Amino acid sequence: MSKLSRREFAAGLAAGVGTTVVLGAEAARPGAAAAGRTQPNGGKRPVVLASGNGFRTGATQTAYERLAAGDDTLDAVIAGVNRTEDDPTDDTVGYGGLPNEQGVVQLDACVMHGPSNRCGAVGALENCKNPSLVAKAVMDHTDEIFFVGAGATQFAKDYGFPQVDLLTDHARRVWLLWRETRSLKDSWGPGLDSPEFRKKLEARARRLRIPEAERERAINRILNPPTGTITCLGVNARGEISGVTSTSGIAFKIPGRVGDSPLIGAGLFVDGEVGAGGSTGRGEENIRVAGGHTVVELMRQGKHPREAVLEVLQRVVHNFRAFPDRLKLFDLSFYALRVDGAYAAATLWDRPAGETQPRQFAVHDGVNRLENMAYLMRRES
Ligand code: GLY
């Protein structure tokens, strides 16, 4: 542990957070099998590492197939992430992403190519399903790196990216539910923690004709606005490595807000001689520790990917030493892939707020699967 001894960490959190602190179960066993393996074959086959939504949407499968076919590593991981961006059922990335507070979907992404150390990024991009491809176009067609807002949107149009309305009917209804229950006008009356507030949400969800089967999930979106994202890192059998991170950002964000995902060094960093680091979750906390770059830097210093991702999370915790109880209000995950194929993923909390299952990440090294993430703290049940 870096700045904070393990005892201080556990004591500080136990005092303030009111959670069961289990730094130890997963986190204190460096080299444990789960969530941090070294390929037995020394990296002689491709490895793709992604956030859990990469498994459900087919991103890891596509990226692995493209790597195995000999495609460039950046093209391969982007092709994987395009599956998530195109999938309207993932409401945290691309088409169907939840909009900002004005009902406008604004997308962020960045890409980084390890063999050349080149990169590109877009922020607050509108009307285009695939910000990862636009970020790659910025890298390929300009001498600059990061385009935002109207400039990014115009750039995508100029380069022939199809212009589409990104707001699906489902995302629009969830946004209306948020607006009707969270607007300033409506902030009198029962609070978020009151059963009455939940009843109000349910009644409004019915009025907005959100289908019954989708209502529970929609309400959870309001109570815990998602910061979901996809990060996808891939290394081929020659040890060439690239990465991409893509998101619609925190749901119902203030227009123009850009999080960590398109920031090279935060949402993603790749060093072709060391490895790659990516992140999902509350971007503001990641920006404060430059997580993507820090993960890679720790691996450069000789740390295993597992130690690297856990140490970055410990830095996030350290930033909250004055008010540790606030840690329970967000989650943040880091992913690390070394050029020899060793990988790990870790998250602040063992499971997402309001859910019972552990948070998982996706990996494909010939077998496409989900694994439980390492974590620092366990939520009270
Ligand atoms: N990590 C996604 C965001 O904060 O926008």
Side-chain angles (χ1 to χ4, degrees), residues 49-355:
L49 180 69
S51 39
N53 51 353
F55 179 81
R56 192 184 61 76
T57 58
T60 43
Q61 182 65 36
T62 294
Y64 186 86
E65 284 167 8
R66 297 281 294 258
L67 287 175
D71 282 7
D72 175 79
T73 50
L74 183 54
D75 291 335
V77 288
I78 290 176
V81 163
N82 289 164
R83 298 221 23 207
T84 317
E85 290 173 334
D86 291 344
D87 186 337
T89 68
D90 190 316
D91 62 9
T92 69
V93 177
Y95 178 63
L98 291 172
N100 67 17
E101 66 175 25
Q102 292 178 348
V104 179
V105 181
Q106 296 188 321
L107 305 180
D108 309 325
C110 72
V111 301
M112 194 157 185
H113 184 244
S116 63
N117 286 337
R118 296 173 69 227
C119 53
V122 287
L125 174 75
E126 295 179 14
N127 306 326
C128 177
K129 278 185 180 179
N130 301 118
S132 60
L133 286 172
V134 183
K136 169 87 165 24
V138 171
M139 180 183 110
D140 286 340
H141 296 287
T142 79
D143 189 30
E144 295 162 3
I145 287 179
F146 191 9
F147 290 2
V148 299
T153 303
Q154 184 62 45
F155 175 86
K157 205 169 166 183
D158 292 347
Y159 278 84
F161 288 95
Q163 299 291 292
V164 289
D165 182 357
L166 298 173
L167 190 66
T168 58
D169 197 48
H170 168 77
R172 185 177 59 79
R173 284 179 209 269
V174 175
W175 165 66
L176 289 175
L177 183 62
W178 171 81
R179 193 170 70 170
E180 288 194 15
T181 52
R182 295 292 290 270
S183 70
L184 284 177
K185 266 201 241 156
D186 209 32
S187 63
W188 298 102
L192 277 179
D193 49 356
S194 152
E196 293 308 309
F197 186 83
R198 203 181 164 89
K199 276 191 209 151
K200 186 167 73 173
L201 271 168
E202 276 160 11
R204 294 202 181 198
R206 267 197 305 279
R207 263 205 338 247
L208 287 165
R209 296 196 300 277
I210 295 176
E212 196 172 347
E214 293 170 26
R215 232 172 267 159
E216 183 62 32
R217 185 157 178 258
I219 289 170
N220 197 35
R221 286 337 214 184
I222 309 307
L223 296 175
N224 303 294
T227 47
T229 294
I230 182 163
T231 189
C232 185
L233 316 172
V235 64
N236 66 16
R238 292 190 296 278
E240 295 163 345
I241 190 165
S242 290
V244 49
T245 299
S246 180
T247 190
S248 51
I250 187 168
F252 324 123
K253 61 195 174 186
I254 297 170
R257 177 268 187 189
V258 169
D260 60 324
S261 299
L263 301 186
I264 296 292
L268 176 72
F269 192 74
V270 183
D271 184 312
E273 294 174 0
V274 178
S279 182
T280 60
R282 181 172 152 80
E284 282 70 14
E285 302 318 324
N286 180 21
I287 292 169
R288 284 190 244 272
V289 296
H293 184 263
T294 305
V295 163
V296 173
E297 208 45 42
L298 291 168
M299 291 196 290
R300 187 198 307 283
Q301 291 166 17
K303 299 220 160 157
H304 186 274
R306 180 188 178 82
E307 295 173 277
V309 287
L310 287 167
E311 180 166 336
V312 179
L313 285 168
Q314 285 154 5
R315 291 185 189 193
V316 173
V317 169
H318 188 68
N319 285 347
F320 281 78
R321 60 200 174 281
F323 24 76
D325 53 318
R326 294 187 198 164
L327 284 164
K328 65 184 169 196
L329 300 177
F330 68 90
D331 208 349
L332 185 60
S333 305
F334 290 102
Y335 309 78
L337 178 62
R338 215 166 53 188
V339 288
D340 67 356
Y343 65 86
T347 186
L348 208 48
W349 295 100
D350 61 324
R351 58 196 155 92
E355 293 184 23

Side-chain angles (χ1 to χ4, degrees), residues 369-381:
R369 60 187 181 277
L370 287 167
E371 291 188 16
N372 290 351
M373 296 178 86
Y375 56 85
L376 285 186
M377 296 175 288
R378 191 180 291 155
R379 289 190 193 278
E380 280 175 345
S381 47

